[in-house]
Every structure is written in C-alpha cells, then in structure tokens.
Amino acid sequence: MSRPTLYISRLLPDSVMTAARQQFTLLNEPSEAVPSREAITAGLREADAAICTLTDRVDAAMLAEATRLTILANYAVGYNNIDLAAATARGIVVTNTPDVLTDSTADLTWALLLAVARRVAEGDAYVRSGAWSGWAPTHMLGTDVWGKMLGIVGMGRIGQAVAQRAAGFNMRICYSSRTPHARGQISSQWEQRAMPDLLRDADFVSLHVPLTPSTHHLIGSRQLALMKPTAFLVNTSRGPVVEEAALVEALLQRRLAGAGLDVFEQEPDVHPGLRDLRQVVLLPHLGSATLATRVRMGMICLENITAVCAGRPAPNQVNRAQT
Ligand code: DGY
C-alpha cells in the first residue's frame, strides 16, 4: 500500500522532519519561510494529510480545493487560523497540540511578568549600551512580584499552570473563566471573580483565553480603565484578544504600569507605539518555543495523522462533535 502524502507548511525541528520522512511521502521539503496562500492551497489540494502552523490562514475557499485531504494537523494549541466549520463541512479532521506546550508557555508567561515588573530587558539594554556607571540606591527601581495578586483571565490548562507557579512567589490568585470548574478540580485557594472585579483588584493580569469572536478585543479601553495604574498586563494567548491601540493609549497616559506581550494583533507587525515604550517587554511569539516542546508538538501532529490515515480516531481532534 502506498504511503499517505503529507504536506508540511513550515520547516519543523529535525527529529520531527526525520520521523515525517520515514512515515509519509512528503509532498514538499518545507523551508523556514512563510508560505504564500497559493503554496498552502496547492499543498492542501494535493496531499492526504497536512501540518499547518498558526501563521497559516486556512479559509473555506482553500479547503474547497482540498478534496483528498483527510486531516489538517495544526502545529499549535490554538486553531483560530483555520475555518473549522468549513473543514468540518468537508469531513476534514482538524487536530491541535494540547498539553505538551502548557508548561513551556506558563514558564514564558512568568519570564514576561518578571521581566516587565523588574525591568529586566531595560536593564540588559542599559548595561550593553555602556551607560551604566555603577550601583545607585534609586536606579531602575521596579515593582515587587511576591505577595501581590495575580489575576488570570481564562483558567484552562495554561492559566492553571501559570497560577501554580505563583505559589513560589506567595501570591494570591484570582481568576475569571467561562468554563465552570468542579469543586476539587482546581485549587480552592484560587478565587473566582467576575472579570471587571479581577481587573480592578489584580496587580498582574495574565491572559489565557483562546481567540474566538467573543474574546476578540476582550481587553479594550473600558477594561484597561478598570485596572490599577500600578498594574501590569501580560499576554501570551493571542494578540487580537487585546486592543493594541487602547493598550498603547493607557500606557502612554500612565493608566497602567506596563505590559509584557508575546503576541500581537497583526503579527509580525507590532503597533509602533509599543516599540517606543520602555515599560513594555515585547517577545516574538515564543510561548511554546523550546526545542523539546516544539518536537513534542510535531510528534503529536504525526500521531494524529497516523491515526486518521489508519482509519482510527485522531487523539486530538478539535472538530469531533460536528463530524
Ligand atoms: C499555540 O500553540 O497556540 C502557541 O501560541 C504556539 O506558540
């Protein structure tokens, strides 16, 4: 029996590419470059299975041409880049990569939180510039993290992992979540709040919601106005969850102390106002970016594809309920 044909939109870590070559006939040798819409469309049209990344927008028109495609494995936990309804209507299984990136993303959230509160990026740039003339009692004073209140918007896997890490900083946790958590499912010390109350009370607000129509601009000028002027916003979820122009405005007017951002509304473009602000730390969407995690994400994609090509259910299907 001939091996299924696999389209991979972007170069994945070596061990994933090796495994993919061993198990499938690769339609293409992917590169690090972002593929054009035409290239993705052709890949989806000609392959039995595909791995796409969060930067690949896969819409209904593209899926309409994907007549032999059985599975689209998204190399991410979020799948807002795919028209799920269109895939479902065509019987294409869509999968994601949950769990394996939870801890890496939670770690990076903390890296941003600490960096923005303790002015880590700014301090690093200062030392490198050669301008540092020595220790001073009043120099580059930041904000304590320990003992403060951390507000988590979206208490899913990553939100919970971020909250767990706060124990070492003796922080209070409050959270808002649309999904009810059964008693005993999450720590009883974490206080559930309505989002406006969380925004009013938290010293650090960290966002962990998926991007959906209802979370688009979840944090805009009204929500930012509720936050304390001493508070910090951290976003490692999806850029469009925050209305960037409103965030820039709040930061410029000192209605917010700072922000740590790993994701942006129009990646890779960054609102020019953000680049000029020293009270923000900006990262190029590194949430899951450790070698081990990116390998595990690739292996999960391959496992899902193997299952579907063998006629078995995909372990991480996200459109299961509708197919
Ligand atoms: C995801 O999987 O959604 C992450 O953003 C990838 O880094």
Side-chain angles (χ1 to χ4, degrees), residues 26 37 66 130 145 160 176 199 209 247 279 284 300:
L26 290 201
R37 177 188 164 84
V145 171
Q160 290 177 44
S176 67
L199 294 172
V209 291
L247 176 62
Q279 68 271 41
I300 286 200

Side-chain angles (χ1 to χ4, degrees), residues 92-211:
I92 299 168
V93 171
V94 178
T95 64
N96 69 343
T97 63
D99 301 317
V100 292
L101 49 70
T102 299
D103 287 301
S104 304
T105 308
D107 287 351
L108 190 93
T109 303
W110 272 92
L112 268 177
L113 190 157
L114 289 165
V116 74
R118 299 303 307 271
R119 306 175 66 171
V120 172
E122 210 187 325
D124 177 83
Y126 190 66
V127 173
R128 284 172 201 273
S129 76
W132 187 37
S133 57
W135 186 88
T138 54
H139 186 220
M140 246 183 217
L141 305 184
T143 301
D144 278 326
V145 171
W146 65 272
K148 295 285 177 64
M149 179 176 277
L150 172 59
I152 298 199
V153 178
M155 203 44 133
R157 286 176 284 246
I158 298 173
Q160 290 177 44
V162 170
Q164 278 153 6
R165 283 157 174 73
F169 290 85
N170 203 16
M171 294 178 92
R172 275 177 67 197
I173 301 290
C174 63
Y175 69 93
S176 67
S177 177
R178 285 163 313 157
T179 319
H181 295 279
R183 188 189 276 268
Q185 202 189 344
I186 63 172
S187 169
S188 57
Q189 291 176 1
W190 301 344
E191 305 158 32
Q192 184 158 15
R193 302 262 172 100
M195 203 172 77
D197 296 335
L198 177 151
L199 294 172
R200 264 184 219 109
D201 294 345
D203 300 297
F204 296 89
V205 172
S206 191
L207 306 177
H208 301 286
V209 291
L211 176 60

Side-chain angles (χ1 to χ4, degrees), residues 54 74-81 96-98 101 105 158 236-238 262-263 267 284-289 293-294 297:
L54 58 90
N74 207 38
Y75 186 77
V77 67
Y79 41 86
N80 53 288
N81 55 307
N96 69 343
T97 63
L101 49 70
T105 308
I158 298 173
T236 54
S237 62
R238 285 288 183 267
D262 186 40
V263 289
E267 292 177 20
H285 203 146
L286 296 180
S288 64
T293 292
R294 290 281 167 89
M297 288 164 66

